[in-house]
Amino acid sequence: NAGVTQTPKFRILKIGQSMTLQCTQDMNHNYMYWYRQDPGMGLKLIYYSVGAGITDKGEVPNGYNVSRSTTEDFPLRLELAAPSQTSVYFCASKDSSLRGYTFGSGTRLTVV
Amino acid sequence: DAKTTQPNSMESNEEEPVHLPCNHSTISGTDYIHWYRQLPSQGPEYVIHGLTSNVNNRMASLAIAEDRKSSTLILHRATLRDAAVYYCILSNSGGSNYKLTFGKGTLLTVNP
């Protein structure tokens, strides 16, 4: 029972580089989310998806892109990394009930 | 989304009960009250949720005021492993239920 798996756990990027943060869940959840958390702050929603083929912007989508081609996977793409994107990124999923989100363990990204 | 107000920090002693307050004076009739917690260097973890009645589960109890303008998360016997940031979040039972908004939460310190 893996839950939500995020890779990589850590990454250092140079300004202007691109990368994809991977997120996979094995619970057949329809809803998936990407949040970022800056030091000492709460989580801010970047993008979310209510099912395969459907994505929508959250509170802070600029500089990011997502896709949802399967129920299991929800990758987050950074095209031109900037220092402001240094953060910890969390992926989460949930089913259609009121049961809570299941979060991954996070990806710590540093842009230098 | 309706906002919540929580103290920035609280302290407790090990094996004593902890009452974490949350004010939500603008709550609407269909808003559910959710609690999550985030242990150091981990993703948030679902704790409990409720609508009108008090709720109990293996992790905690949720006491909801009669007018629903406040709630209290109760940890019956705090342990060192309960030291975390606790988030109180409101979500509508309808469409916006799938996008929880996290504030800064309450940092709980548990003293041995």
Side-chain angles (χ1 to χ4, degrees):
Chain A
N1 186 10
V4 177
T5 302
Q6 291 185 238
T7 56
K9 293 193 182 307
F10 303 94
R11 183 72 187 268
I12 298 175
L13 277 184
K14 294 184 178 179
I15 294 171
Q17 285 185 323
S18 301
M19 77 163 295
T20 299
L21 283 66
Q22 301 291 345
C23 176
T24 299
Q25 53 93 7
D26 62 356
M27 298 170 285
N28 203 34
H29 285 173
N30 288 328
Y31 300 125
M32 295 188 75
Y33 312 83
W34 275 105
Y35 286 87
R36 60 175 286 174
Q37 185 174 34
D38 298 333
M41 305 296 286
L43 283 74
K44 293 186 178 179
L45 182 64
I46 306 171
Y47 271 95
Y48 65 99
S49 168
V50 301
I54 306 170
T55 63
D56 208 346
K57 296 178 181 179
E59 185 183 356
V60 289
N62 291 344
Y64 307 94
N65 280 300
V66 292
S67 59
R68 184 93 183 272
S69 57
T70 67
T71 299
E72 296 77 21
D73 300 308
F74 191 41
L76 178 72
R77 178 88 178 156
L78 283 71
E79 290 294 347
L80 291 170
S84 61
Q85 293 176 305
T86 294
S87 191
V88 181
Y89 292 82
F90 290 103
C91 179
S93 72
K94 71 178 295 294
D95 61 20
S96 55
S97 74
L98 284 170
R99 281 196 294 273
Y101 287 19
T102 300
F103 278 86
S105 57
T107 294
R108 185 174 298 274
L109 176 67
T110 302
V111 181
V112 296
Chain B
D1 292 330
K3 295 215 179 283
T4 64
T5 303
Q6 300 177 253
N8 290 332
S9 62
M10 291 185 63
E11 270 192 56
S12 72
N13 296 319
E14 201 173 9
E15 297 190 4
E16 291 184 355
V18 181
H19 290 232
L20 295 161
C22 181
N23 288 320
H24 28 78
S25 58
T26 60
I27 191 170
S28 73
T30 54
D31 281 337
Y32 282 76
I33 303 159
H34 299 255
W35 283 83
Y36 283 74
R37 72 179 186 180
Q38 187 173 20
L39 303 174
S41 300
Q42 294 189 27
E45 172 187 33
Y46 167 79
V47 178
I48 201 167
H49 76 274
L51 182 62
T52 56
S53 304
N54 295 343
V55 184
N56 300 297
N57 66 22
R58 64 176 181 80
M59 291 181 68
S61 296
L62 175 60
I64 301 172
E66 197 169 333
D67 64 6
R68 302 211 322 127
K69 293 185 176 182
S70 66
S71 62
T72 302
L73 180 71
I74 302 167
L75 307 179
H76 295 285
R77 288 185 65 202
T79 70
L80 297 179
R81 287 174 293 180
D82 291 322
V85 177
Y86 287 80
Y87 299 98
C88 170
I89 306 165
L90 302 182
S91 76
N92 195 284
S93 60
S96 63
N97 178 48
Y98 51 77
K99 339 192 230 104
L100 297 183
T101 299
F102 288 77
K104 290 187 179 181
T106 297
L107 175 63
L108 175 66
T109 301
V110 180
N111 300 314

